[in-house]
Amino acid sequence: MRASRRLNQVYGWLLLTPAAILLLSFTHYPTVATLWQSFFSTGTALRPSRFVGLDNYRFMLEDEIFWKVVGNNLLFAAGTIPVSIALALLMAVWVNGRLPGRALVRMAYFTPTILPMIAVANIWLFFYTPEIGLLDQILRSFDLPTRNWLGDPDIVLWCIIVLAVWKEAGFFMIFYLAALQALPPELEEAARLEGASRAYYFRRVVFPLLMPTTLFVLVNAVINSFKLVDQLFILTKGGPDNASALLLYYIYEVAFSFFDDSYAATLTVVLLAALALISLGQFLFLDRRIHYR
Amino acid sequence: MTAAGRRLDFWWALEAAAAWLLALLWLAPLLYAFWAAFHPPEYATRFVLGAPLTLANFFEAWSQAPFARYFLNTFLLVTSILAAQFVLCTLAGYAFARFAFPGRDLAFALVLVQLMIMPEVLIVENYRTMSRLGLVDTIAGIGLPYMASAFGIFLLRQTFKTIPEELEEAARVEGCSMLQILWKVYVPLARPTYVAYGLVSVSYHWNNFLWPLVITNSVETRPLTVGLAIFGAPESGVDWSVITAGTLLAVAPLLLAFLLFQRQFVQSFMYAGIK
């Protein structure tokens, strides 16, 4: 019996090994290496990389673009997360109800999810193009002043936010829809018998029961707000004057346009810290307060 | 009909109209893309009923960029990632679900780290690794960081845990080896999980952009998304109608699959999300 237990242990590790090697090489090792690299200078042909302590971090704190990008990212998160979650819930309630042609409506809501961001950015570029773009054409037909949507630092980030909401809401809807379908139908009947209005039933019964889903969607939405940068490559390249640059995009620029690996690593550490903070917050606060199986 | 009933009907109609309006708004970009792609360039920004239809934009797009090659690259990328994910995640999921080995819980926690720190975040360091391995600008280089997927391991572990152990015992009595048990008992019973995970993975990697952009630099390896980004760049001087035609070409297979198997897609995303 003991021999078979030992054998089982060996088998367990053997089965795990292929996946473990890849995970260690492309998730754990680079995470640690990024932290390590952030304490070194970027090596050049003449000057090899050397230990510089916290110099990269000091440089980062004085880097105006860094603060700009962090501010942009926070605004981007604050703009996309609540709106896309609220819309997702609304969509789910509609699609779950007795709406005529609801299969078609559900498909319409969900379609942006399966389209590549690059492709939809190509299409949205036309909406935002000055003068001949769709938005300006609509404005002009009402005799309103047109604008340079993506060229104006005050509105460019909002254009990106609208696109992100459009792209994400349908994806989040799916999870609400699943949760709504899992609610026992007796609940609604009981509420109706008690004479509760639809709004009351939703606010006091459905919404609290959807809390685990909201948490799940929220965590996903927060992570996405650090990850969704593809559209910038097509629409703005982070411009004008970094008004629409997000953290991950800035990391890409520093690493692959300015070839400053160490500074890119330092910025990545900030991004990793943000992600770690999110998971810590999820673990400490939300999981405890919301009953979840 | 009572007054209250009529008022309810009115609100209900209003809500339905709002739902439809939102649906139309959500489809508008795609509808516009179809309009521009199927009409001559002079109608790209002019919406006139009865504008002549044409396929010229598609031929133009196809001839201006190596789309056939991009399609092949994306196809190779998506299938190789999926195949590797199925094998690796099945083995690891089975290990976590049915084997007691020292360090299992720690290992599982370390696997879950990847749910939070996705390969996209580690582009700088992973690029260095790939150049050390000589895998820059190869399809394997694009795929490798994604092949051991924490999400897949987690999904399959959850599924395997629900399969009754008596089935495994029975198979063992019949003389099946460990891998035979996995292949004949666990894998067939987890089919819905494979379908759901497969659809999610294929749509993710068909659409993935940042890492492929970083790691590729030639037509021979570039997937569709990266090719499309270069094709659509304003510097390329290609006009609207052709860009939208190219865009539709790139999304067509996935869009078509989605329209045909809509229910399956929606259910897969749902299923993968709830687990």
Side-chain angles (χ1 to χ4, degrees):
Chain A
M1 211 58 217
R2 263 187 65 195
S4 99
R5 231 186 76 198
R6 179 79 40 87
L7 204 63
N8 246 338
Q9 295 182 353
V10 174
Y11 277 154
W13 272 109
L14 277 180
L15 287 167
L16 189 57
T17 304
I21 290 173
L22 283 179
L23 277 170
L24 282 172
S25 324
F26 298 109
T27 300
H28 303 100
Y29 162 75
T31 306
V32 176
T34 299
L35 188 65
W36 180 256
Q37 177 73 24
S38 73
F39 297 119
F40 286 80
S41 67
T42 300
T44 60
L46 293 174
R47 267 193 290 173
S49 172
R50 62 184 177 86
F51 183 77
V52 293
L54 292 173
D55 274 7
N56 287 319
Y57 290 92
R58 219 165 287 139
F59 178 80
M60 180 177 77
L61 294 180
E62 285 162 17
D63 178 9
E64 273 172 39
I65 303 178
F66 167 70
W67 289 111
K68 174 120 199 173
V69 165
V70 167
N72 285 347
N73 221 137
L74 291 178
L75 190 62
F76 178 70
T80 46
I81 296 169
V83 181
S84 55
I85 292 183
L87 266 178
L89 184 53
L90 189 68
M91 287 170 169
V93 170
W94 276 342
V95 169
N96 193 47
R98 44 188 190 107
L99 190 73
R102 68 180 179 173
L104 206 61
V105 172
R106 187 184 61 187
M107 184 209 73
Y109 293 159
F110 189 68
T111 304
T113 303
I114 59 135
L115 298 175
M117 190 53 130
I118 288 300
V120 298
N122 266 342
I123 302 172
W124 277 69
L125 186 57
F126 165 73
F127 294 167
Y128 290 140
T129 304
E131 297 306 318
I132 58 162
L134 191 67
L135 281 178
D136 271 2
Q137 283 199 38
I138 293 173
L139 285 180
R140 213 166 14 192
S141 67
F142 288 106
D143 275 330
L144 291 166
T146 58
R147 11 172 115 240
N148 186 357
W149 298 93
L150 298 175
D152 183 341
D154 292 332
I155 42 178
V156 61
L157 196 55
W158 295 102
C159 295
I160 304 292
I161 289 173
V162 171
L163 169 59
V165 168
W166 174 82
K167 185 86 171 69
E168 283 195 306
F171 179 55
F172 297 150
M173 167 194 77
I174 291 296
F175 304 115
Y176 277 122
L177 196 55
L180 284 175
Q181 285 171 358
L183 291 182
E186 299 88 52
L187 273 179
E188 189 166 10
E189 247 161 69
R192 199 179 307 137
L193 284 178
E194 295 282 329
S197 73
R198 208 172 140 219
Y200 184 86
Y201 166 70
F202 185 81
R203 199 159 42 88
R204 302 303 295 267
V205 180
V206 176
F207 192 69
L209 283 173
L210 290 181
M211 229 29 210
T213 312
T214 305
L215 163 72
F216 174 82
V217 169
L218 182 69
V219 170
N220 265 293
V222 174
I223 297 174
N224 276 356
S225 67
F226 288 103
K227 228 179 72 177
L228 275 184
V229 294
D230 294 0
Q231 69 279 24
L232 301 179
F233 288 87
I234 298 284
L235 292 176
T236 65
K237 303 246 187 294
D241 195 20
N242 295 306
S244 65
L246 301 175
L247 187 53
L248 186 54
Y249 186 83
Y250 187 45
I251 291 173
Y252 166 84
E253 263 194 330
V254 169
F256 300 102
S257 301
F258 310 147
F259 302 106
D260 190 346
D261 277 10
S262 292
Y263 189 42
T266 313
L267 294 166
T268 307
V269 171
V270 174
L271 184 51
L272 290 171
L275 292 172
L277 218 63
I278 296 164
S279 45
L280 200 69
Q282 175 194 6
F283 185 72
L284 289 181
F285 287 111
L286 298 162
D287 269 1
R288 249 177 237 171
R289 290 194 38 212
I290 296 164
H291 53 280
Y292 192 40
R293 260 176 293 198
Chain B
M1 193 184 272
T2 63
R6 227 173 298 140
R7 222 181 59 211
L8 218 65
D9 261 11
F10 169 74
W11 282 114
W12 182 76
L14 200 69
E15 241 186 279
W20 273 94
L21 193 70
L22 193 68
L24 201 65
L25 212 63
W26 245 239
L27 272 186
L30 201 59
L31 294 179
Y32 166 71
F34 274 99
W35 170 274
F38 283 101
H39 289 102
E42 55 270 31
Y43 292 97
T45 59
R46 274 176 52 217
F47 306 99
V48 203
L49 229 60
L53 292 168
T54 172
L55 286 176
N57 297 320
F58 288 95
F59 291 116
E60 184 73 20
W62 190 266
S63 70
Q64 284 198 7
F67 273 108
R69 183 73 217 201
Y70 294 156
F71 265 110
L72 179 67
N73 294 339
T74 290
F75 177 78
L76 289 175
L77 175 70
V78 167
T79 44
S80 62
I81 289 182
L82 190 66
Q85 280 176 337
F86 273 178
V87 174
L88 293 175
C89 298
T90 301
L91 297 179
Y94 184 42
F96 282 125
R98 284 292 139 86
F99 288 83
F101 51 90
R104 183 178 70 173
D105 295 339
L106 179 67
F108 190 56
L110 281 174
V111 166
L112 293 186
V113 166
Q114 201 211 30
L115 289 180
M116 200 45 84
I117 305 177
M118 309 120 310
E120 284 80 38
V121 178
L122 299 163
I123 45 173
V124 183
E125 204 53 53
N126 277 343
Y127 184 86
R128 290 157 69 104
T129 306
M130 288 304 172
S131 58
R132 258 177 247 141
L133 295 173
L135 289 174
V136 171
D137 204 23
T138 61
I139 291 187
I142 315 175
L144 266 177
Y146 294 98
M147 285 176 177
S149 143
F151 182 53
I153 294 173
F154 178 73
L155 274 184
L156 285 167
R157 168 189 180 260
Q158 301 300 88
T159 311
F160 290 161
K161 268 177 168 273
T162 63
I163 292 168
E165 271 181 84
E166 291 79 36
L167 287 176
E168 179 169 349
E169 307 275 295
R172 191 167 295 135
V173 171
E174 301 262 313
C176 285
S177 71
M178 183 189 69
L179 286 178
Q180 277 175 329
I181 292 172
L182 180 58
W183 180 245
K184 289 188 175 153
V185 177
Y186 283 88
V187 172
L189 286 172
R191 229 185 85 122
T193 304
Y194 285 105
V195 172
Y197 178 66
L199 278 180
V200 173
S201 167
V202 166
S203 20
Y204 186 89
H205 291 287
W206 192 284
N207 297 344
N208 198 17
F209 174 72
L210 185 59
W211 172 245
L213 171 76
V214 165
I215 200 73
T216 62
N217 47 39
S218 68
V219 170
E220 282 69 38
T221 53
R222 242 174 238 148
L224 269 170
T225 44
V226 180
L228 191 62
I230 295 169
F231 179 67
E235 304 91 80
S236 70
V238 181
D239 73 55
W240 266 119
S241 313
V242 179
I243 290 177
T244 47
T247 304
L248 285 185
L249 277 178
V251 303
L254 208 57
L255 192 64
L256 215 64
F258 169 63
L259 293 179
L260 287 176
F261 306 107
Q262 201 210 126
R263 187 171 292 271
Q264 186 64 56
F265 262 87
V266 172
Q267 268 164 6
S268 293
F269 275 80
M270 229 186 241
Y271 182 80
I274 302 166
K275 278 281 167 175

